[in-house]
Amino acid sequence: FLEVDPFVFRSGFAKATIIRCIKHLSFTPDQLERLRWVVVQVIQKSDRAEFRAYCRLAASIHSMEFEERMRVFMGSPDSGVRRRARFLVHYLEQWRRSQKKTGRRQ
């Protein structure tokens, strides 16, 4: 459902609910890459209400390589892509700081 990314009535609510349920699960490396691809696709699309949920998902599937990929989008010629990438990278930085303060895993 997240990969297909339908845009219909209440689909944003459904995607946010799915993300809330899956973000704490363990995934195989292939599944993690698919989820990272989903987040990359969201960065490139127009603003959606569920974007913050995707930021929370990005934090749960975080890797430094993934964060660097997000930083590349900060140089995009599209102002919407730059803004979403900047927001996501800032979210990941804040999340990483909170993990260090609480002593949780990264």
Side-chain angles (χ1 to χ4, degrees):
F1 190 76
L2 297 177
E3 284 178 311
V4 174
D5 192 26
F7 190 63
V8 296
F9 181 67
R10 296 190 58 79
S11 63
F13 177 76
K15 291 176 224 173
T17 301
I18 290 168
I19 289 169
R20 189 172 49 251
C21 293
I22 69 169
K23 70 180 182 176
H24 297 293
L25 298 177
S26 297
F27 296 103
T28 66
D30 288 340
Q31 291 169 328
L32 285 172
E33 196 53 40
R34 287 175 68 185
L35 286 170
R36 289 177 184 132
W37 180 84
V38 165
V39 174
V40 167
Q41 295 305 308
V42 168
I43 291 287
Q44 297 178 36
K45 294 183 179 180
S46 64
D47 294 329
R48 303 262 177 97
E50 68 271 15
F51 183 70
R52 286 182 188 259
Y54 281 105
C55 291
R56 289 188 287 276
L57 176 63
S60 70
I61 60 174
H62 177 266
S63 73
M64 291 311 290
E65 296 82 21
F66 176 68
E67 189 171 332
E68 286 305 314
R69 239 190 294 175
M70 295 299 101
R71 288 181 188 282
V72 169
F73 286 109
M74 291 171 68
S76 170
D78 183 320
S79 63
V81 171
R82 281 195 314 267
R83 182 175 27 78
R84 287 186 292 277
R86 195 170 41 248
F87 185 90
L88 179 61
V89 168
H90 179 72
Y91 187 93
L92 291 174
E93 289 169 351
Q94 294 295 323
W95 173 80
R96 199 170 41 254
R97 283 188 201 117
S98 72
Q99 296 298 302
K100 287 180 182 177
K101 284 181 182 177
T102 61
R104 293 183 182 155
R105 67 166 184 88
Q106 287 191 26

